[in-house]
Coordinates of all heavy atoms in Angstrom, one line a residue:
M997 N 7.6 -2.8 11.4 CA 6.4 -3.5 11.2 C 5.2 -2.7 11.6 O 4.2 -2.8 11.0 CB 6.5 -4.9 12.0 CG 7.4 -5.9 11.3 SD 7.7 -7.5 12.1 CE 6.3 -7.8 13.1
A998 N 5.4 -1.9 12.7 CA 4.3 -1.0 13.1 C 3.9 0.0 12.0 O 2.7 0.2 11.8 CB 4.7 -0.3 14.4
R999 N 4.9 0.5 11.4 CA 4.7 1.5 10.3 C 3.9 0.8 9.1 O 2.9 1.4 8.6 CB 6.0 2.1 9.7 CG 5.7 3.1 8.6 CD 7.0 3.5 7.9 NE 7.9 2.5 7.4 CZ 7.7 1.9 6.2 NH1 6.7 2.2 5.4 NH2 8.5 0.9 5.8
I1000 N 4.3 -0.4 8.8 CA 3.7 -1.1 7.7 C 2.2 -1.4 8.1 O 1.3 -1.2 7.3 CB 4.4 -2.4 7.4 CG1 5.8 -2.1 6.8 CG2 3.6 -3.3 6.5 CD1 6.7 -3.4 6.7
G1001 N 2.0 -1.8 9.3 CA 0.6 -2.0 9.8 C -0.2 -0.8 9.7 O -1.4 -0.9 9.3
M1002 N 0.3 0.3 10.2 CA -0.5 1.6 10.2 C -0.8 2.0 8.7 O -1.9 2.4 8.4 CB 0.2 2.6 11.0 CG 0.2 2.4 12.5 SD 0.9 3.7 13.4 CE 2.6 3.5 13.2
E1003 N 0.2 1.9 7.9 CA 0.0 2.3 6.5 C -1.0 1.4 5.8 O -1.9 1.9 5.1 CB 1.3 2.3 5.7 CG 2.3 3.4 6.0 CD 3.6 3.3 5.5 OE1 4.0 2.2 5.0 OE2 4.4 4.3 5.5
A1004 N -0.9 0.1 6.0 CA -1.8 -0.8 5.4 C -3.2 -0.6 5.9 O -4.2 -0.6 5.0 CB -1.4 -2.3 5.8
Q1005 N -3.4 -0.3 7.1 CA -4.8 0.0 7.6 C -5.3 1.3 7.0 O -6.5 1.4 6.7 CB -4.8 0.1 9.2 CG -4.6 -1.3 9.8 CD -5.6 -2.3 9.4 OE1 -6.8 -2.0 9.5 NE2 -5.2 -3.4 9.0
A1006 N -4.5 2.3 6.9 CA -4.9 3.6 6.3 C -5.2 3.4 4.8 O -6.2 3.9 4.3 CB -3.8 4.6 6.4
V1007 N -4.4 2.6 4.1 CA -4.7 2.3 2.7 C -6.1 1.6 2.6 O -6.9 1.9 1.7 CB -3.6 1.5 2.1 CG1 -4.0 0.9 0.7 CG2 -2.3 2.3 1.9
I1008 N -6.3 0.6 3.4 CA -7.6 -0.1 3.4 C -8.7 0.8 3.6 O -9.7 0.8 2.9 CB -7.6 -1.3 4.4 CG1 -6.6 -2.4 4.0 CG2 -9.0 -1.8 4.6 CD1 -6.3 -3.4 5.1
A1009 N -8.6 1.7 4.6 CA -9.6 2.7 4.9 C -9.9 3.6 3.7 O -11.1 3.9 3.4 CB -9.2 3.5 6.2
M1010 N -8.8 4.1 3.1 CA -9.0 5.0 1.9 C -9.7 4.3 0.8 O -10.5 4.8 0.1 CB -7.7 5.6 1.5 CG -7.2 6.7 2.5 SD -5.7 7.5 2.0 CE -4.5 6.4 2.7
R1011 N -9.3 3.0 0.6 CA -9.9 2.3 -0.5 C -11.3 2.0 -0.3 O -12.2 2.0 -1.2 CB -9.1 1.0 -0.8 CG -7.8 1.3 -1.5 CD -6.9 0.0 -1.7 NE -5.9 0.3 -2.7 CZ -4.8 -0.5 -2.8 NH1 -4.7 -1.6 -2.1 NH2 -3.9 -0.2 -3.7
L1012 N -11.7 1.6 1.0 CA -13.1 1.4 1.3 C -13.9 2.7 1.2 O -15.0 2.6 0.7 CB -13.2 0.8 2.7 CG -12.8 -0.6 2.9 CD1 -12.8 -1.0 4.4 CD2 -13.7 -1.6 2.1
A1013 N -13.3 3.8 1.6 CA -14.0 5.1 1.4 C -14.1 5.4 -0.1 O -15.2 6.0 -0.5 CB -13.2 6.2 2.1
G1014 N -13.2 5.0 -0.9 CA -13.3 5.2 -2.3 C -14.4 4.4 -2.9 O -15.2 4.8 -3.7
M1015 N -14.6 3.1 -2.4 CA -15.7 2.3 -2.9 C -17.0 2.8 -2.5 O -18.0 2.7 -3.2 CB -15.5 0.9 -2.3 CG -14.4 0.0 -2.9 SD -14.4 -1.6 -2.1 CE -12.8 -2.1 -2.5
A1016 N -17.1 3.5 -1.4 CA -18.3 4.1 -0.9 C -18.6 5.5 -1.5 O -19.6 6.1 -1.3 CB -18.3 4.2 0.6
G1017 N -17.6 6.0 -2.2 CA -17.8 7.3 -2.9 C -17.3 8.5 -2.0 O -17.6 9.6 -2.3
F1018 N -16.6 8.2 -0.9 CA -16.2 9.3 0.0 C -14.8 9.7 -0.2 O -14.3 10.6 0.4 CB -16.4 8.9 1.4 CG -17.8 8.6 1.8 CD1 -18.2 7.4 2.3 CD2 -18.8 9.6 1.6 CE1 -19.5 7.1 2.7 CE2 -20.1 9.3 2.0 CZ -20.5 8.1 2.5
W1019 N -14.0 9.0 -1.1 CA -12.6 9.3 -1.3 C -12.4 9.2 -2.8 O -12.9 8.3 -3.5 CB -11.7 8.3 -0.6 CG -10.3 8.7 -0.3 CD1 -9.2 8.4 -1.1 CD2 -9.9 9.6 0.7 NE1 -8.1 9.0 -0.5 CE2 -8.5 9.7 0.6 CE3 -10.5 10.2 1.8 CZ2 -7.7 10.5 1.4 CZ3 -9.7 11.0 2.6 CH2 -8.4 11.1 2.5
E1020 N -11.7 10.2 -3.3 CA -11.4 10.3 -4.8 C -10.4 9.2 -5.2 O -9.2 9.3 -4.9 CB -10.8 11.7 -5.1 CG -11.8 12.8 -5.1 CD -12.9 12.7 -6.1 OE1 -12.6 12.1 -7.2 OE2 -13.9 13.2 -5.9
T1021 N -10.9 8.1 -5.7 CA -10.1 7.1 -6.2 C -10.5 6.8 -7.7 O -11.7 6.8 -8.0 CB -10.2 5.8 -5.4 OG1 -11.5 5.4 -5.3 CG2 -9.6 6.0 -4.0
P1022 N -9.5 6.5 -8.5 CA -9.9 6.2 -9.9 C -10.5 4.8 -10.0 O -10.3 3.9 -9.1 CB -8.6 6.2 -10.7 CG -7.5 5.9 -9.6 CD -8.1 6.5 -8.3
P1023 N -11.3 4.5 -11.0 CA -11.9 3.2 -11.1 C -10.9 2.0 -11.1 O -11.2 0.9 -10.7 CB -12.7 3.2 -12.4 CG -13.0 4.7 -12.6 CD -11.8 5.4 -12.0
S1024 N -9.7 2.3 -11.6 CA -8.7 1.3 -11.7 C -8.1 0.9 -10.4 O -7.4 -0.1 -10.3 CB -7.5 1.8 -12.6 OG -7.0 3.0 -12.0
E1025 N -8.4 1.7 -9.3 CA -7.9 1.4 -8.0 C -8.4 0.0 -7.5 O -7.7 -0.7 -6.8 CB -8.3 2.5 -7.0 CG -7.7 2.3 -5.6 CD -6.2 2.5 -5.7 OE1 -5.7 3.3 -6.5 OE2 -5.5 1.8 -4.9
F1026 N -9.6 -0.4 -7.9 CA -10.1 -1.6 -7.4 C -9.5 -2.8 -8.0 O -9.3 -3.8 -7.4 CB -11.6 -1.6 -7.5 CG -12.3 -0.3 -7.0 CD1 -12.9 0.5 -7.9 CD2 -12.1 0.0 -5.7 CE1 -13.5 1.7 -7.4 CE2 -12.6 1.2 -5.2 CZ -13.3 2.1 -6.0
V1027 N -9.0 -2.7 -9.2 CA -8.3 -3.7 -9.9 C -6.9 -3.7 -9.3 O -6.3 -4.8 -9.1 CB -8.3 -3.5 -11.4 CG1 -7.3 -4.5 -12.1 CG2 -9.7 -3.7 -12.0
R1028 N -6.3 -2.6 -9.2 CA -4.9 -2.4 -8.7 C -4.8 -3.1 -7.3 O -3.7 -3.7 -7.0 CB -4.6 -0.9 -8.6 CG -3.2 -0.7 -8.2 CD -2.9 0.8 -8.1 NE -1.5 1.0 -7.9 CZ -0.8 2.0 -8.3 NH1 -1.3 2.9 -9.0 NH2 0.5 2.1 -8.0
M1029 N -5.7 -2.9 -6.4 CA -5.6 -3.4 -5.1 C -5.5 -4.9 -5.0 O -4.9 -5.5 -4.1 CB -6.7 -2.9 -4.1 CG -8.0 -3.4 -4.3 SD -9.2 -2.6 -3.2 CE -10.6 -3.6 -3.4
V1030 N -6.1 -5.6 -6.0 CA -6.0 -7.0 -6.1 C -4.7 -7.4 -6.9 O -4.0 -8.3 -6.5 CB -7.2 -7.6 -6.8 CG1 -7.1 -9.1 -7.0 CG2 -8.5 -7.3 -5.9
A1031 N -4.4 -6.7 -8.0 CA -3.3 -7.1 -8.8 C -2.0 -6.9 -8.2 O -1.0 -7.6 -8.5 CB -3.4 -6.3 -10.1
E1032 N -1.8 -5.9 -7.3 CA -0.5 -5.6 -6.7 C 0.0 -6.6 -5.7 O 1.1 -6.7 -5.4 CB -0.5 -4.2 -6.1 CG -1.4 -4.2 -4.8 CD -1.5 -2.7 -4.3 OE1 -1.1 -1.8 -5.0 OE2 -2.1 -2.6 -3.2
K1033 N -1.0 -7.4 -5.1 CA -0.6 -8.3 -4.0 C 0.4 -9.4 -4.4 O 1.4 -9.6 -3.8 CB -1.8 -9.0 -3.4 CG -2.9 -8.0 -2.9 CD -2.4 -7.3 -1.7 CE -3.5 -6.5 -1.0 NZ -3.8 -5.2 -1.7
P1034 N 0.2 -10.1 -5.5 CA 1.1 -11.1 -5.9 C 2.5 -10.6 -6.2 O 3.5 -11.1 -5.8 CB 0.5 -11.8 -7.2 CG -0.9 -11.5 -7.1 CD -1.0 -10.1 -6.4
Q1035 N 2.6 -9.4 -6.9 CA 3.9 -8.8 -7.2 C 4.6 -8.4 -5.9 O 5.8 -8.6 -5.8 CB 3.7 -7.6 -8.1 CG 5.0 -7.0 -8.5 CD 5.8 -7.9 -9.4 OE1 5.3 -8.7 -10.2 NE2 7.1 -7.8 -9.2
A1036 N 3.9 -7.8 -5.0 CA 4.5 -7.4 -3.7 C 5.0 -8.7 -3.0 O 6.1 -8.6 -2.4 CB 3.5 -6.7 -2.8
A1037 N 4.3 -9.7 -3.0 CA 4.7 -11.0 -2.3 C 5.9 -11.5 -3.0 O 6.9 -12.0 -2.3 CB 3.5 -12.0 -2.3
V1038 N 6.0 -11.6 -4.3 CA 7.1 -12.1 -5.0 C 8.4 -11.3 -4.7 O 9.4 -11.8 -4.4 CB 6.9 -12.1 -6.5 CG1 8.1 -12.3 -7.3 CG2 5.8 -13.2 -6.9
E1039 N 8.2 -10.0 -4.7 CA 9.4 -9.1 -4.4 C 9.9 -9.3 -2.9 O 11.1 -9.3 -2.7 CB 9.0 -7.6 -4.6 CG 8.8 -7.3 -6.1 CD 8.3 -5.9 -6.3 OE1 8.3 -5.1 -5.4 OE2 7.9 -5.6 -7.4
A1040 N 8.9 -9.5 -2.0 CA 9.3 -9.7 -0.6 C 10.0 -11.0 -0.4 O 11.1 -11.1 0.3 CB 8.1 -9.6 0.3
V1041 N 9.5 -12.1 -1.0 CA 10.1 -13.4 -0.9 C 11.5 -13.4 -1.6 O 12.4 -14.0 -1.1 CB 9.2 -14.5 -1.5 CG1 9.9 -15.8 -1.6 CG2 7.9 -14.6 -0.7
E1042 N 11.6 -12.7 -2.7 CA 12.8 -12.6 -3.5 C 13.9 -12.0 -2.6 O 15.0 -12.4 -2.5 CB 12.6 -11.8 -4.7 CG 13.6 -12.1 -5.8 CD 13.1 -11.4 -7.1 OE1 13.2 -10.1 -7.1 OE2 12.7 -12.0 -8.0
A1043 N 13.5 -10.8 -2.0 CA 14.5 -10.1 -1.2 C 14.9 -10.9 0.1 O 16.1 -11.0 0.4 CB 13.9 -8.8 -0.7
A1044 N 13.9 -11.6 0.7 CA 14.3 -12.4 1.9 C 15.1 -13.6 1.5 O 16.1 -14.0 2.2 CB 13.0 -12.9 2.5
T1045 N 14.8 -14.2 0.3 CA 15.6 -15.3 -0.1 C 17.1 -14.9 -0.4 O 18.0 -15.6 -0.1 CB 15.0 -16.0 -1.4 OG1 13.7 -16.4 -1.1 CG2 15.8 -17.1 -1.9
L1046 N 17.2 -13.8 -1.1 CA 18.6 -13.3 -1.4 C 19.4 -13.0 -0.1 O 20.5 -13.3 0.0 CB 18.5 -12.0 -2.2 CG 18.2 -12.3 -3.7 CD1 18.0 -10.9 -4.4 CD2 19.2 -13.1 -4.4
A1047 N 18.7 -12.4 0.9 CA 19.3 -12.2 2.2 C 19.7 -13.5 2.8 O 20.8 -13.6 3.4 CB 18.4 -11.4 3.1
A1048 N 18.9 -14.5 2.7 CA 19.2 -15.8 3.3 C 20.4 -16.5 2.6 O 21.3 -17.0 3.2 CB 18.0 -16.7 3.3
I1049 N 20.4 -16.4 1.3 CA 21.5 -16.9 0.5 C 22.8 -16.3 0.8 O 23.9 -16.9 0.8 CB 21.2 -16.8 -1.0 CG1 20.0 -17.8 -1.4 CG2 22.4 -17.1 -1.9 CD1 19.5 -17.6 -2.8
R1050 N 22.8 -15.0 1.1 CA 24.0 -14.3 1.4 C 24.4 -14.5 2.8 O 25.4 -14.0 3.3 CB 23.7 -12.8 1.2 CG 23.6 -12.4 -0.2 CD 23.4 -10.9 -0.3 NE 23.2 -10.5 -1.7 CZ 22.2 -9.8 -2.2 NH1 21.3 -9.3 -1.4 NH2 22.1 -9.5 -3.5
G1051 N 23.7 -15.4 3.6 CA 24.1 -15.7 4.9 C 23.6 -14.8 6.0 O 24.1 -14.8 7.1
G1052 N 22.5 -14.1 5.7 CA 22.0 -13.1 6.7 C 21.3 -13.9 7.8 O 20.9 -15.0 7.7
S1053 N 21.3 -13.2 9.0 CA 20.6 -13.8 10.1 C 19.1 -13.8 9.9 O 18.6 -13.2 9.0 CB 21.0 -12.9 11.4 OG 20.4 -11.6 11.2
A1054 N 18.4 -14.4 10.8 CA 16.9 -14.4 10.7 C 16.4 -13.0 10.7 O 15.5 -12.7 9.9 CB 16.3 -15.2 11.8
D1055 N 16.9 -12.1 11.5 CA 16.5 -10.7 11.5 C 16.7 -10.0 10.2 O 15.9 -9.3 9.7 CB 17.2 -10.0 12.7 CG 16.7 -10.3 14.0 OD1 15.7 -11.0 14.1 OD2 17.3 -9.9 15.0
E1056 N 17.9 -10.3 9.6 CA 18.2 -9.6 8.4 C 17.3 -10.2 7.2 O 16.9 -9.4 6.4 CB 19.7 -9.9 8.0 CG 20.6 -9.1 8.9 CD 22.1 -9.6 8.8 OE1 22.3 -10.8 8.4 OE2 23.0 -8.8 9.1
V1057 N 17.0 -11.4 7.3 CA 16.2 -12.0 6.2 C 14.8 -11.4 6.4 O 14.1 -11.0 5.4 CB 16.1 -13.6 6.4 CG1 15.0 -14.2 5.5 CG2 17.5 -14.2 6.1
M1058 N 14.2 -11.4 7.6 CA 12.9 -10.8 7.8 C 12.9 -9.3 7.4 O 12.0 -8.9 6.8 CB 12.5 -10.9 9.3 CG 11.1 -10.4 9.6 SD 10.6 -10.5 11.3 CE 11.6 -9.3 12.0
H1059 N 13.9 -8.6 7.8 CA 14.0 -7.2 7.5 C 14.0 -6.9 5.9 O 13.4 -6.0 5.4 CB 15.2 -6.5 8.1 CG 15.3 -5.1 7.9 ND1 14.5 -4.2 8.5 CD2 16.2 -4.3 7.1 CE1 14.8 -2.9 8.1 NE2 15.8 -3.0 7.3
A1060 N 14.7 -7.8 5.2 CA 14.8 -7.6 3.8 C 13.4 -7.8 3.1 O 13.0 -7.1 2.3 CB 15.8 -8.7 3.2
G1061 N 12.7 -8.8 3.6 CA 11.3 -9.0 3.1 C 10.4 -7.9 3.4 O 9.6 -7.4 2.6
L1062 N 10.4 -7.5 4.7 CA 9.6 -6.4 5.1 C 9.9 -5.1 4.5 O 9.0 -4.3 4.3 CB 9.6 -6.3 6.7 CG 8.9 -7.4 7.4 CD1 9.2 -7.3 8.9 CD2 7.4 -7.4 7.1
R1063 N 11.1 -4.9 4.1 CA 11.5 -3.6 3.5 C 10.7 -3.5 2.2 O 10.2 -2.4 1.8 CB 13.0 -3.6 3.2 CG 13.5 -2.3 2.6 CD 15.0 -2.2 2.4 NE 15.6 -3.5 2.4 CZ 16.6 -3.9 3.2 NH1 17.0 -3.1 4.2 NH2 17.1 -5.1 3.2
E1064 N 10.6 -4.6 1.4 CA 9.8 -4.6 0.2 C 8.3 -4.4 0.4 O 7.7 -3.6 -0.3 CB 10.0 -5.9 -0.6 CG 11.4 -6.0 -1.2 CD 11.8 -4.9 -2.1 OE1 11.0 -4.5 -3.0 OE2 12.9 -4.3 -1.9
I1065 N 7.8 -5.0 1.4 CA 6.4 -4.8 1.8 C 6.1 -3.4 2.2 O 5.2 -2.7 1.7 CB 5.9 -5.8 2.9 CG1 6.0 -7.2 2.4 CG2 4.5 -5.4 3.3 CD1 5.1 -7.6 1.3
G1066 N 7.1 -2.8 3.0 CA 7.0 -1.4 3.4 C 7.1 -0.5 2.2 O 6.4 0.6 2.3
R1067 N 7.8 -0.8 1.2 CA 7.9 0.1 0.1 C 6.6 0.2 -0.6 O 6.2 1.2 -1.0 CB 9.0 -0.5 -0.9 CG 9.4 0.4 -2.0 CD 10.6 -0.2 -2.8 NE 10.3 -1.5 -3.4 CZ 9.6 -1.7 -4.5 NH1 9.0 -0.7 -5.1 NH2 9.4 -2.9 -4.9
H1068 N 5.9 -0.9 -0.7 CA 4.6 -0.9 -1.3 C 3.5 -0.2 -0.5 O 2.7 0.6 -1.0 CB 4.1 -2.4 -1.6 CG 4.8 -3.0 -2.7 ND1 4.4 -2.9 -4.0 CD2 5.9 -3.8 -2.8 CE1 5.2 -3.5 -4.8 NE2 6.1 -4.1 -4.1
T1069 N 3.5 -0.5 0.8 CA 2.5 0.2 1.7 C 2.8 1.7 1.7 O 1.8 2.5 1.6 CB 2.5 -0.3 3.1 OG1 3.8 -0.2 3.7 CG2 2.1 -1.8 3.2
A1070 N 4.0 2.1 1.8 CA 4.4 3.6 1.8 C 3.9 4.2 0.5 O 3.4 5.3 0.5 CB 5.8 3.8 2.0
G1071 N 4.2 3.5 -0.7 CA 3.8 4.1 -2.0 C 2.3 4.2 -2.1 O 1.8 5.3 -2.5
N1072 N 1.5 3.2 -1.7 CA 0.1 3.3 -1.7 C -0.5 4.4 -0.8 O -1.4 5.1 -1.2 CB -0.5 1.9 -1.3 CG -0.4 0.9 -2.5 OD1 -0.4 1.3 -3.6 ND2 -0.4 -0.4 -2.1
F1073 N 0.1 4.4 0.4 CA -0.4 5.5 1.3 C -0.1 6.9 0.8 O -1.0 7.7 0.8 CB 0.4 5.3 2.7 CG 0.0 6.3 3.7 CD1 -1.3 6.2 4.3 CD2 0.8 7.4 4.0 CE1 -1.6 7.2 5.3 CE2 0.4 8.4 4.9 CZ -0.8 8.3 5.5
A1074 N 1.1 7.1 0.2 CA 1.4 8.4 -0.3 C 0.5 8.8 -1.5 O -0.1 9.9 -1.6 CB 2.8 8.5 -0.7
R1075 N 0.3 7.8 -2.4 CA -0.6 8.0 -3.6 C -2.0 8.3 -3.2 O -2.6 9.2 -3.7 CB -0.4 6.8 -4.5 CG -1.2 6.9 -5.8 CD -0.9 5.7 -6.7 NE -1.1 4.5 -6.0 CZ -2.3 3.9 -5.7 NH1 -3.4 4.5 -6.1 NH2 -2.3 2.8 -5.1
L1076 N -2.6 7.4 -2.3 CA -4.0 7.6 -2.0 C -4.2 8.8 -1.1 O -5.3 9.5 -1.2 CB -4.5 6.3 -1.3 CG -4.6 5.1 -2.2 CD1 -4.8 3.8 -1.3 CD2 -5.8 5.3 -3.1
S1077 N -3.3 9.2 -0.3 CA -3.4 10.4 0.6 C -3.5 11.7 -0.3 O -4.2 12.6 0.2 CB -2.2 10.5 1.5 OG -2.1 9.5 2.4
Q1078 N -2.9 11.7 -1.4 CA -3.0 12.8 -2.3 C -4.4 13.0 -2.9 O -4.7 14.1 -3.4 CB -1.9 12.7 -3.4 CG -0.5 12.7 -3.0 CD -0.2 14.0 -2.3 OE1 -0.5 15.1 -2.7 NE2 0.5 13.9 -1.1
M1079 N -5.2 12.0 -2.9 CA -6.5 12.0 -3.6 C -7.5 12.8 -2.8 O -8.2 13.6 -3.3 CB -6.9 10.6 -4.0 CG -6.0 10.0 -5.0 SD -6.6 8.3 -5.4 CE -5.2 7.8 -6.4
G1080 N -7.6 12.5 -1.6 CA -8.5 13.3 -0.7 C -10.0 12.9 -0.8 O -10.4 12.1 -1.6
P1081 N -10.8 13.5 0.1 CA -12.2 13.2 0.1 C -12.9 13.7 -1.1 O -12.6 14.7 -1.6 CB -12.7 13.9 1.4 CG -11.6 14.8 1.9 CD -10.4 14.4 1.2
S1082 N -13.9 12.9 -1.5 CA -14.6 13.3 -2.7 C -15.8 14.3 -2.4 O -16.2 15.0 -3.3 CB -15.2 12.1 -3.5 OG -16.1 11.4 -2.7
F1083 N -16.3 14.3 -1.2 CA -17.5 15.1 -0.9 C -17.0 16.6 -0.6 O -17.8 17.5 -0.7 CB -18.3 14.6 0.3 CG -17.4 14.4 1.5 CD1 -17.2 15.4 2.4 CD2 -16.9 13.1 1.8 CE1 -16.5 15.2 3.6 CE2 -16.1 12.9 2.9 CZ -15.9 13.9 3.8
G1084 N -15.8 16.8 -0.3 CA -15.3 18.1 0.0 C -15.4 19.1 -1.2 O -15.8 20.3 -1.0
A1085 N -15.1 18.6 -2.4 CA -15.2 19.5 -3.6 C -16.6 19.9 -3.9 O -16.8 21.1 -4.2 CB -14.6 18.8 -4.8
E1086 N -17.5 19.0 -3.7 CA -18.9 19.4 -3.9 C -19.4 20.4 -2.9 O -20.1 21.3 -3.3 CB -19.8 18.1 -3.9 CG -19.5 17.1 -5.0 CD -20.2 15.8 -4.8 OE1 -21.0 15.7 -3.9 OE2 -19.9 14.9 -5.6
Q1087 N -19.1 20.2 -1.7 CA -19.5 21.1 -0.6 C -18.9 22.5 -0.8 O -19.5 23.5 -0.6 CB -19.2 20.6 0.8 CG -20.1 19.4 1.1 CD -19.7 18.8 2.5 OE1 -18.6 19.1 3.0 NE2 -20.5 18.0 3.0
A1088 N -17.6 22.6 -1.2 CA -16.9 23.8 -1.4 C -17.5 24.6 -2.6 O -17.6 25.8 -2.6 CB -15.4 23.6 -1.7
A1089 N -18.1 23.9 -3.6 CA -18.7 24.6 -4.7 C -20.0 25.2 -4.4 O -20.4 26.1 -5.1 CB -18.8 23.6 -5.9
Q1090 N -20.7 24.7 -3.4 CA -22.0 25.2 -3.0 C -21.9 26.5 -2.2 O -21.5 27.1 -1.6 CB -22.8 24.2 -2.3 CG -23.1 23.0 -3.1 CD -23.8 21.9 -2.3 OE1 -23.8 21.9 -1.1 NE2 -24.2 20.9 -3.0

């Protein structure tokens, strides 16, 4: 859960920096950040439900749901981290 929290905060920071023009993000990022939430929630609930149906303990059910959320936060973090700051390229060219 700590990893998910840190990745989520970093993703939020990079997206906010992208909105301000300080991080290289495509225009589609702003739609993506809203559109991905329902899908991630469905996948997490689905995984948790399957774990519960299989007779998993409360910890196993929670872990199954969080694994899906973590997959999304890790993917977003890795993708956005590759983009980097947008002001660096302009300064390097000068």
Side-chain angles (χ1 to χ4, degrees):
M997 286 178 28
R999 178 187 57 84
I1000 291 170
M1002 288 185 284
E1003 286 171 346
Q1005 290 301 310
V1007 166
I1008 290 167
M1010 287 183 274
R1011 284 178 168 163
L1012 286 173
M1015 287 180 198
F1018 299 123
W1019 201 259
E1020 288 292 333
T1021 55
S1024 62
E1025 188 64 33
F1026 310 118
V1027 172
R1028 183 180 186 150
M1029 71 183 191
V1030 174
E1032 71 188 5
K1033 303 291 187 284
Q1035 184 63 35
V1038 166
E1039 291 174 13
V1041 170
E1042 201 173 73
T1045 301
L1046 286 173
I1049 289 171
R1050 291 184 182 127
S1053 67
D1055 287 350
E1056 291 168 335
V1057 171
M1058 183 181 71
H1059 184 70
L1062 287 174
R1063 183 178 21 241
E1064 291 303 312
I1065 298 295
R1067 190 172 60 77
H1068 285 274
T1069 59
N1072 283 333
F1073 178 76
R1075 183 176 49 77
L1076 289 166
S1077 294
Q1078 296 297 316
M1079 295 178 188
S1082 62
F1083 57 85
E1086 293 170 8
Q1087 288 177 347
Q1090 294 176 350

